[in-house]
C-alpha cells in the first residue's frame, strides 16, 4: 500500500469510527475530497464498512449558508 492510499485509508477509518460513535444521534460531519473519482470510491467503501445508513449532502459552490442548506436537504 503506498503512502497516498495509506493516508486515505487512515482518514476513512477515522471517519467511520467517528460516525459509529455518534450512531443514533444527529451529528454533522464534513468531509472533503479533492478528486471526484476517489470521492466515489471512498464513499462506497465507507458505506460498505458502516453498519447503518449514511446520508450524503453534497454542497454546491453557490450554497451560501450551511444551516439552511443542510436543513432544506434533510426535509
Amino acid at each position: 500500500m503506498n503512502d497516498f492510499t495509506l493516508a486515505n485509508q487512515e482518514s476513512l477509518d477515522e471517519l467511520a469510527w467517528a460516525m459509529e460513535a455518534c450512531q443514533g444521534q444527529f451529528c454533522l460531519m464534513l468531509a472533503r475530497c479533492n478528486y471526484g473519482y476517489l470521492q466515489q470510491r471512498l464513499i462506497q467503501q465507507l458505506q460498505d464498512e458502516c453498519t447503518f445508513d449514511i446520508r450524503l449532502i453534497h454542497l454546491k459552490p453557490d450554497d451560501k449558508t450551511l444551516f439552511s442548506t443542510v436543513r432544506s436537504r434533510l426535509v
Side-chain angles (χ1 to χ4, degrees):
M1 192 177 291
N2 63 38
D3 290 342
F4 181 73
T5 305
L6 183 60
N8 285 328
Q9 186 60 50
E10 288 173 354
S11 295
L12 193 68
D13 291 344
E14 288 178 24
L15 181 57
W17 180 88
M19 292 171 67
E20 290 281 348
C22 293
Q23 191 174 354
Q25 307 172 54
F26 175 80
C27 186
L28 178 64
M29 294 185 187
L30 302 176
R32 181 173 181 247
C33 184
N34 293 334
Y35 308 104
Y37 71 93
L38 183 59
Q39 180 184 38
Q40 288 302 96
R41 194 176 97 207
L42 293 174
I43 288 170
Q44 184 60 53
Q45 188 175 345
L46 186 62
Q47 289 175 328
D48 291 345
E49 289 180 16
C50 291
T51 59
F52 53 90
D53 291 331
I54 299 170
R55 190 144 188 200
L56 299 174
I57 298 174
H58 295 276
L59 299 176
K60 300 173 187 169
D62 61 333
D63 289 335
K64 299 296 181 204
T65 60
L66 184 60
F67 177 78
S68 59
T69 301
V70 170
R71 185 174 179 203
S72 69
R73 295 197 186 143
L74 288 177
V75 175

